[in-house]
Amino acid sequence: MSNAGCSSVLPAPCRQAGHRAPLPLPAAPQFVARFRSNRRLRVTCASAAGHVSRIPPTEARRVRSLAGSRHRPPPLTRIRSGTPRCAYVEKMLVAETASLLDVHRKDREARIRKQLRKVELPPSPYDTAWVAMVPLRGSPHTPCFPQCVEWILQNQHENGSWDINDFGSSANKNVLLSTLACVLALEKWNLGQEHIRKGLHFIGRHFSLVMDEEIAAPTGFNMIFPGMLSLAIGAGLQFPVRQTDIDGILHQWEMELKRQAGQKSYGREAYMAYVSEGLGNLLDWNEVMKFQRKNGSLFNSPSTTAAALVHNYDDKALDYLNMIVSKFGGAVPTVYPLNMHCKLSMVDSLEKIGISRHFSSEIEGILDMAYSFWLQRDEEIMMDVATCAMAFRLLRMNGYDVSSDELSHLAEASNFHNSLQGYLSDTKSVLELYKASKVCVSEHELILDNIGNWSGSLLSEKLCSEGVQGLPILEVEYALKFPFYTTLERLDHKRNIEHFDARGSHILKTECLPYGINQELLALAVEDFTFSQSIYQDELLHLDRWVKENRLDQLQFARQKLTYCYLSAAATIFPPELSDARISWAKNGVLTTVVDDFFDVGGSKEELENLIALVEKWDEHHKDDFCSEQVRIVFCALYTTVNQLGSIASAVQNRDVKNHLIEI
């Protein structure tokens, strides 16, 4: 087994020549429930014979603290020397290195905890610019939020752009949109002429990107950018661009407006309201205000809400902007509130890459809050399809009592297509719905069945035809092929670490980056997985010695399934501190295989009766009771191992449980 990076947990088990195939894995579960008090999945499966068998919980209770176990992290460096003094120096260096790594890990965990407790949303130059354009009530020539105007003046990059990257970045459609919005805001208040000049030249240098269909664009870019371009030209701004290029973009915009006018659906109306800052007087703003939420915003979007205030004064909308400017200062985020979506996404990421156990109290707090919001049908969860589906899946997987009835409005594909997310062909929302549909707790959840059918078909169609926008194709393919209950958790963690999106941006009207927290998650996951690997390797060596000490490898009839038995433990009971649980599972698996083979092919009738009699005697057996060496090896392995496991379990539980194991 390799010790490097994210190598596989174990080598594939080898099949011995002449041996029978391994025992079949359990069938796919009919029902899955995860219980809260740190108990993991309990899965009930139907066997091929129609009987119900129970898989052991994927986590046993903690039986030993890591500090007190026989396992230690492997030294990362070695100094080759034969002298006692150098050996001492080596020991000190290894200890110092381990101490530094531990401090570094704790610092990283602290930063992740901070983000879990309080989501830090980055500023959006685009949304800040639109808030800056809102005039003071009764004074159209005075900005209502001068602090936003000042932020724009103070945060232009040397290349003339506005972007959330402190060091500037290569041009893209997101940066062009933000830069044009900031230029418009300064022009409206007749401020920062040099800023405007540099901004216009930046747009001019990269204007060809606007019409490049191969470059990813923020939501609504083809409606918003041309609309703002028309607004800028009407304000007298001159772009260093060929007139034919400008005319071409405006012509495409007009054609798109005509196409939109020919469609009549709720999804289309919601979309036009969502991108309303690019449409100005072309819209009926009273119709737009139908989409106003309880908090006063339009779609929780500062830019859309600000555009509405520019054209149609509303007290609740102004209160919303006052609230976010007061909260964030001169620069506002691209969406607010986004708290619950960000926190649930982090919980999902922590579980997917196998480090959620380090943040159990923070995760419990987040899920408790999400459950409270769910019961109240709070807009922050219910109004966004992806957030609603993710909340349902995470809450149910963690044992909260949530009903699939809350997803009934999405049971039919037509209802989804008629929503804003459906109109935008939002693949992320479809994928979240598909994953949520797999978390059934009964055979009669027709709502989840319907959602799973249409969302799965839609994802398959996207893969076969147009491709998947905004999501890695592998993520969609994997979700379709392997529902969560068909995978081994630790192998799933390994795959998710290897395919983890460290950038982790969230594309809305502009790009929303999570302040580098994803890099912290990935680094901790790699470190945790690598450390776990060293422990798994140590445990497998221990088990190999156990097999040889008990002479089980000398039984010619027995399949040697140690690696196979240990894999099933390490891939499910994976936390490093649960060493005794993994070893117990693997030893029992090996012993079960040996006894099964002994009764099937290895023992005579006399030997089988002899083994049964010895087990019934247990402590009363004598050394001359064995009719063959095979019986001696099998019984002694059973007797010694069961007694040892009983002693360990009794010490942990502070009561004698050995007799229970013997009776079993």
Side-chain angles (χ1 to χ4, degrees):
M1 295 169 63
S2 171
N3 218 4
C6 292
S7 59
S8 56
V9 177
L10 289 170
C14 299
R15 184 174 179 177
Q16 299 292 327
H19 287 171
R20 290 176 296 159
L23 297 172
L25 289 174
Q30 289 182 333
F31 119 85
V32 177
R34 177 173 293 190
F35 296 86
R36 291 183 58 189
S37 55
N38 286 331
R39 288 173 289 174
R40 307 282 288 182
L41 291 178
R42 283 197 296 194
V43 187
T44 303
C45 303
S47 67
H51 300 294
V52 175
S53 60
R54 185 167 296 282
I55 298 176
T58 59
E59 275 190 66
R61 84 183 313 190
R62 181 171 175 148
V63 293
R64 147 185 318 172
S65 69
L66 185 58
S69 76
R70 59 182 171 274
H71 304 299
R72 294 291 183 272
L76 301 184
T77 56
R78 289 280 186 193
I79 301 175
R80 295 176 179 266
S81 175
T83 68
R85 178 175 295 277
C86 283
Y88 172 76
V89 172
E90 174 188 353
K91 183 177 180 180
M92 294 299 292
L93 285 175
V94 169
E96 184 178 346
T97 301
S99 177
L100 288 172
L101 287 173
D102 188 54
V103 170
H104 189 58
R105 178 183 59 79
K106 288 180 178 177
D107 287 344
R108 180 176 289 124
E109 287 184 7
R111 289 191 291 273
I112 296 172
R113 269 193 193 89
K114 180 181 177 182
Q115 186 76 349
L116 282 167
R117 290 168 181 161
K118 182 181 179 182
V119 175
E120 295 184 19
L121 298 174
S124 164
Y126 173 78
D127 290 86
T128 301
W130 271 102
V131 174
M133 284 187 251
V134 176
L136 188 65
R137 187 175 188 181
S139 184
H141 302 294
T142 305
C144 185
F145 301 102
Q147 59 270 58
C148 294
V149 180
E150 182 63 24
W151 187 91
I152 294 170
L153 289 170
Q154 297 298 325
N155 286 276
Q156 186 179 34
H157 293 301
E158 283 298 319
N159 62 5
S161 71
W162 279 269
D163 185 25
I164 60 174
N165 188 334
D166 291 337
F167 306 102
S169 65
S170 57
N172 56 47
K173 291 182 178 181
N174 173 62
V175 177
L176 288 173
L177 191 66
S178 296
T179 301
L180 180 54
C182 289
V183 165
L184 278 172
L186 294 178
E187 172 62 24
K188 177 165 186 171
W189 307 120
N190 195 26
L191 294 170
Q193 294 305 311
E194 180 61 17
H195 293 74
I196 293 174
R197 185 191 67 79
K198 290 173 66 176
L200 290 173
H201 276 277
F202 176 84
I203 294 170
R205 288 195 304 273
H206 303 286
F207 201 77
S208 61
L209 300 178
V210 177
M211 298 186 70
D212 190 339
E213 296 297 329
E214 297 298 317
I215 297 176
T219 302
F221 179 85
N222 292 335
M223 294 291 284
I224 296 173
F225 187 88
M228 294 197 330
L229 181 65
S230 176
L231 185 63
I233 293 171
L237 292 173
Q238 296 184 351
F239 294 84
V241 179
R242 291 180 303 180
Q243 187 61 41
T244 53
D245 291 340
I246 293 177
D247 291 343
I249 289 175
L250 294 178
H251 176 70
Q252 284 192 354
W253 181 51
E254 291 169 359
M255 296 297 291
E256 178 64 14
L257 287 171
K258 289 180 180 178
R259 188 184 72 82
Q260 292 285 346
Q263 299 183 23
K264 301 296 181 184
S265 70
Y266 177 86
R268 179 257 176 195
E269 290 179 13
Y271 173 71
M272 296 299 279
Y274 183 62
V275 299
S276 56
E277 58 263 40
L279 301 176
N281 292 326
L282 297 175
L283 286 176
D284 180 345
W285 285 94
N286 289 322
E287 290 296 308
V288 172
M289 296 306 291
K290 291 192 306 185
F291 296 95
Q292 188 174 37
R293 298 190 178 179
K294 291 178 182 178
N295 61 13
S297 75
L298 292 167
F299 307 100
N300 287 341
S301 167
S303 55
T304 308
T305 308
L309 270 174
V310 169
H311 292 89
N312 186 31
Y313 189 84
D314 180 85
D315 284 329
K316 288 178 64 179
L318 182 61
D319 288 343
Y320 168 79
L321 291 184
N322 275 322
M323 180 268 294
I324 61 170
V325 171
S326 174
K327 181 177 180 65
F328 292 99
V332 302
T334 193
V335 60
Y336 184 83
L338 191 63
N339 245 19
M340 193 47 63
H341 179 88
C342 288
K343 288 188 173 186
L344 288 173
S345 295
M346 282 192 67
V347 171
D348 193 33
S349 295
L350 290 168
E351 291 188 349
K352 283 166 61 175
I353 58 180
I355 55 176
S356 59
R357 68 187 187 281
H358 297 297
F359 309 96
S360 55
S361 62
E362 289 80 11
I363 289 174
E364 184 175 4
I366 291 170
L367 294 179
D368 281 346
M369 182 183 296
Y371 185 55
S372 175
F373 281 16
W374 183 275
L375 295 178
Q376 298 169 31
R377 296 185 53 80
D378 190 279
E379 285 185 345
E380 191 173 346
I381 284 183
M382 296 301 177
M383 292 296 288
D384 180 71
V385 172
T387 306
C388 185
M390 182 166 33
F392 174 81
R393 172 171 56 87
L394 291 175
L395 287 171
R396 183 168 275 192
M397 288 288 288
N398 283 277
Y400 292 80
D401 183 16
V402 288
S403 171
S404 56
D405 290 346
E406 300 297 343
L407 300 176
S408 60
H409 61 293
L410 296 165
E412 301 299 331
S414 57
N415 293 340
F416 173 76
H417 291 310
N418 200 33
S419 68
L420 175 60
Q421 288 81 8
Y423 190 82
L424 292 172
S425 192
D426 182 5
T427 306
K428 178 175 174 56
S429 294
V430 180
L431 181 59
E432 286 295 344
L433 284 168
Y434 180 76
K435 290 193 289 187
S437 73
K438 299 304 171 186
V439 193
C440 297
V441 294
S442 78
E443 297 178 356
H444 306 293
E445 293 198 275
L446 298 180
I447 291 172
L448 296 184
D449 288 343
N450 290 340
I451 290 175
N453 289 335
W454 72 255
S455 60
S457 297
L458 186 56
L459 289 172
S460 298
E461 289 172 11
K462 285 178 175 289
L463 286 175
C464 294
S465 56
E466 64 203 68
V468 178
Q469 299 295 322
L471 279 173
I473 291 177
L474 285 176
E475 184 178 349
V476 177
E477 288 180 337
Y478 189 77
L480 290 173
K481 289 181 180 178
F482 306 109
F484 73 92
Y485 51 77
T486 66
T487 61
L488 293 172
E489 282 189 273
R490 205 51 171 160
L491 297 181
D492 219 21
H493 296 159
K494 174 182 178 292
R495 179 198 171 276
N496 291 329
I497 290 171
E498 291 172 343
H499 294 88
F500 191 75
D501 180 10
R503 182 174 173 83
S505 59
H506 188 52
I507 303 294
L508 298 167
K509 289 183 186 176
T510 59
E511 189 174 31
C512 177
L513 295 172
Y515 275 144
I517 196 66
N518 276 8
Q519 286 86 346
E520 301 279 15
L521 297 179
L522 180 60
L524 182 60
V526 171
E527 181 183 306
D528 183 83
F529 192 94
T530 304
F531 174 55
S532 298
Q533 280 288 94
S534 68
I535 291 176
Y536 301 153
Q537 293 162 13
D538 187 23
E539 290 171 357
L540 191 56
L541 289 174
H542 165 78
L543 287 165
D544 188 58
R545 289 192 296 270
W546 167 79
V547 166
K548 291 174 180 175
E549 288 168 0
N550 286 276
R551 301 167 61 198
L552 296 174
D553 57 329
Q554 297 177 19
L555 299 173
Q556 296 301 312
F557 63 82
R559 292 167 292 168
Q560 300 303 311
K561 305 308 300 179
L562 174 61
T563 305
Y564 179 85
C565 292
Y566 181 70
L567 172 64
S568 63
T572 50
I573 311 174
F574 56 84
E577 63 269 19
L578 297 179
S579 173
D580 285 334
R582 284 188 294 274
I583 289 173
S584 172
W585 179 317
K587 285 181 177 179
N588 276 288
V590 170
L591 291 173
T592 301
T593 303
V594 169
V595 173
D596 179 60
D597 290 350
F598 190 50
F599 272 78
D600 281 351
V601 297
S604 65
K605 182 180 180 182
E606 179 187 5
E607 287 176 314
L608 301 184
E609 290 175 345
N610 184 206
L611 178 60
I612 292 171
L614 286 164
V615 171
E616 290 175 343
K617 289 181 180 180
W618 202 253
D619 287 333
E620 304 302 322
H621 76 276
H622 302 286
K623 61 181 181 181
D624 56 352
D625 287 345
F626 305 103
C627 72
S628 71
E629 191 62 21
Q630 285 194 148
V631 173
R632 181 189 301 275
I633 292 173
V634 174
F635 175 75
C636 288
L638 275 172
Y639 180 82
T640 304
T641 304
V642 169
N643 284 338
Q644 287 175 347
L645 293 177
S647 297
I648 295 172
S650 296
V652 171
Q653 298 191 32
N654 198 28
R655 63 191 179 98
D656 187 4
V657 298
K658 187 187 296 186
N659 286 335
H660 294 298
L661 298 183
I662 295 170
E663 288 172 12
I664 292 171

